[in-house]
Amino acid sequence: MTPPLSRERLLAAAMSIVDEEGAEALTMRALAGRVDRQVSSLYNHVSGRTELIELMRAKVVERIDVRAFSTKAWDVALGEWARSYLMAFAQHPHLIRLLATTPIRDESTLAMYNEVVRALTEAGWAAGESIAVLRTVEAHVLGSALDIVAPGNMLDAAAVPEELPALRAALAVEHHSAGAAEAAFDLGLTALIAGLRERNGAPSA
Amino acid sequence: MTPPLSRERLLAAAMSIVDEEGAEALTMRALAGRVDRQVSSLYNHVSGRTELIELMRAKVVERIDVRAFSTKAWDVALGEWARSYLMAFAQHPHLIRLLATTPIRDESTLAMYNEVVRALTEAGWAAGESIAVLRTVEAHVLGSALDIVAPGNMLDAAAVPEELPALRAALAVEHHSAGAAEAAFDLGLTALIAGLRERNGAPSA
């Protein structure tokens, strides 16, 4: 006997489909197959694919920590938020493009943005610019999440021909650890926030 | 009569599949269907899906301009490269995750990286760090490309509840133009490069 359907069960099944087969594989038909039911019975629990996407968004956003914005300087808080955002999405790389290009209706996500924007504007950022800061830090995080989930041999010294000595030399001394992508993210996030601090002219921590 | 098969024709068909149906839809079977041939006949032209991915990579990278690295200061060149990189990928959003997580074997891509690393190390960056700079700027670009292809109503003031006044106010004054994502990218790229310049201590332009 299959367990009873519920929103939670459909959400878990939808996440599995996206994680295993990619975002395009998420259809109501594929979901019905995964939970072994008729397509029509899914609609007793969710209104359709759009709602499922917002449920998945809420599930990922639940892991992102915004608390620092109410206790720390904006630049420090932005860094902590970005790191927690990265970890949440690095577990679901196939969701990145889907969530980054689907209109946001999930209220928990909007509440998270509200908190970021509130802290940035209180720290002296103009209201319109605070949205640009939010967007560009998010873009940095999502692009970095893709780099972090990439296989370790993405850019392999052994694949670089001898005619490209600068790249061969640099790869030879790079940290060949699983942490190379994280180190690059740290370097970039630190630089990005330093540049934003310079632009804002606001006090740093 | 269908036109004769060639690598170029298979590359164009593969790009269409990915652009229209997503990266996961690219299989040798789907490609055979698209060009109206047997799967086996494809192997007279390409060795398989891995080679097709590298051909697609080369096609996108062909549009990225690295010339500034041989004529301008590293920070200015990095900005010009990033902007041209963004435009190349914004036309193929479904390729972003695929190319960002598949080991790079295409020589034109490696040659591009070699040029970036050569210029960065000549400007004083340590060899290992030059790879981190390359990776983090790429991550910033790819995340921003997703934001730029997102629909204009991604984050819509009308969808924000009244209990979230900071976000509502910020969205009300944000530029509601197709250029908002580009403006955020500009703000972020400028900040990122300013932060990298500060870190390197190298002369700016």
Side-chain angles (χ1 to χ4, degrees):
Chain A
M1 204 186 108
T2 53
L5 272 196
S6 65
R7 280 163 75 85
E8 290 63 38
R9 189 159 164 245
L10 290 178
L11 169 58
M15 288 287 251
S16 301
I17 291 173
V18 172
D19 287 344
E20 293 162 20
E21 302 169 41
E24 314 305 319
L26 180 66
T27 60
M28 293 303 275
R29 178 174 299 275
L31 186 60
R34 180 72 65 130
V35 296
D36 201 18
R37 299 295 171 98
Q38 299 293 320
V39 172
S40 59
S41 69
L42 306 185
Y43 291 97
N44 295 323
H45 303 277
V46 293
S47 60
R49 187 171 185 270
T50 302
E51 186 180 4
L52 278 170
I53 293 170
E54 292 311 287
L55 290 172
M56 291 192 288
R57 191 192 300 281
K59 191 76 184 169
V60 176
V61 163
E62 184 179 287
R63 302 179 60 98
I64 304 177
D65 192 345
V66 287
R67 286 173 303 175
F69 285 105
S70 54
T71 57
K72 299 184 182 175
W74 71 272
D75 51 344
V76 177
L78 204 54
E80 291 188 14
W81 175 65
R83 281 168 220 281
S84 122
Y85 201 125
L86 178 82
M87 289 306 137
F89 271 93
Q91 298 178 17
H92 303 288
H94 284 111
L95 268 179
I96 292 174
R97 188 201 53 77
L98 182 65
L99 296 187
T101 57
T102 306
I104 299 163
R105 297 295 176 260
D106 169 58
E107 292 207 3
S108 68
T109 305
L110 296 174
M112 172 180 79
Y113 288 159
N114 187 72
E115 178 60 6
V116 176
V117 164
R118 181 200 62 72
L120 290 175
T121 50
E122 280 180 13
W125 284 94
E129 276 200 329
S130 70
I131 299 281
V133 170
L134 168 72
R135 291 179 87 146
T136 198
V137 172
E138 266 194 321
H140 193 80
V141 164
L142 295 178
S144 300
L146 289 176
D147 191 25
I148 280 176
V149 300
N153 63 345
M154 270 295 290
L155 195 50
D156 186 352
V160 179
E162 283 184 22
E163 307 83 72
L164 303 174
L167 183 58
R168 277 170 72 97
L171 288 173
V173 297
E174 198 212 7
H175 291 292
H176 285 294
S177 69
E182 280 88 348
F185 172 69
D186 272 340
L187 175 76
L189 182 66
T190 303
L192 175 58
I193 293 175
L196 290 172
R197 201 186 291 133
E198 197 177 292
R199 159 96 178 220
N200 189 41
S204 87
Chain B
M1 204 185 107
T2 52
L5 272 196
S6 64
R7 281 164 73 85
E8 289 63 37
R9 189 160 163 243
L10 289 178
L11 169 58
M15 288 288 252
S16 301
I17 290 173
V18 172
D19 288 344
E20 292 163 20
E21 301 169 41
E24 313 306 318
L26 180 67
T27 60
M28 294 303 274
R29 180 175 298 274
L31 185 60
R34 180 73 65 131
V35 297
D36 202 18
R37 298 295 171 98
Q38 299 293 321
V39 173
S40 59
S41 70
L42 305 185
Y43 292 97
N44 295 324
H45 303 278
V46 293
S47 61
R49 187 170 185 269
T50 302
E51 185 179 4
L52 277 170
I53 293 171
E54 292 312 286
L55 290 172
M56 291 193 288
R57 191 193 300 281
K59 191 76 183 171
V60 176
V61 164
E62 183 179 286
R63 302 179 60 97
I64 304 177
D65 192 346
V66 287
R67 285 174 302 173
F69 285 104
S70 54
T71 57
K72 299 186 182 173
W74 71 272
D75 51 344
V76 177
L78 205 53
E80 291 188 13
W81 175 64
R83 280 166 222 281
S84 122
Y85 201 126
L86 178 83
M87 290 305 136
F89 271 92
Q91 298 177 15
H92 304 287
H94 284 110
L95 269 179
I96 292 174
R97 188 200 55 78
L98 182 66
L99 296 187
T101 57
T102 307
I104 299 163
R105 297 296 175 261
D106 169 58
E107 292 207 3
S108 67
T109 305
L110 297 174
M112 172 180 77
Y113 288 160
N114 187 72
E115 177 61 6
V116 176
V117 165
R118 181 200 62 71
L120 291 175
T121 50
E122 281 181 13
W125 284 94
E129 276 201 328
S130 70
I131 299 282
V133 170
L134 168 71
R135 290 179 88 145
T136 198
V137 172
E138 264 193 322
H140 192 80
V141 163
L142 295 178
S144 301
L146 289 177
D147 191 26
I148 281 176
V149 300
N153 62 345
M154 270 294 290
L155 196 49
D156 186 351
V160 179
E162 283 184 21
E163 307 84 71
L164 303 175
L167 184 58
R168 277 170 72 98
L171 287 172
V173 299
E174 197 211 7
H175 291 293
H176 284 294
S177 69
E182 281 89 347
F185 172 69
D186 272 340
L187 175 75
L189 181 65
T190 303
L192 175 58
I193 293 175
L196 290 172
R197 201 187 291 134
E198 198 178 292
R199 159 98 178 219
N200 189 41
S204 86

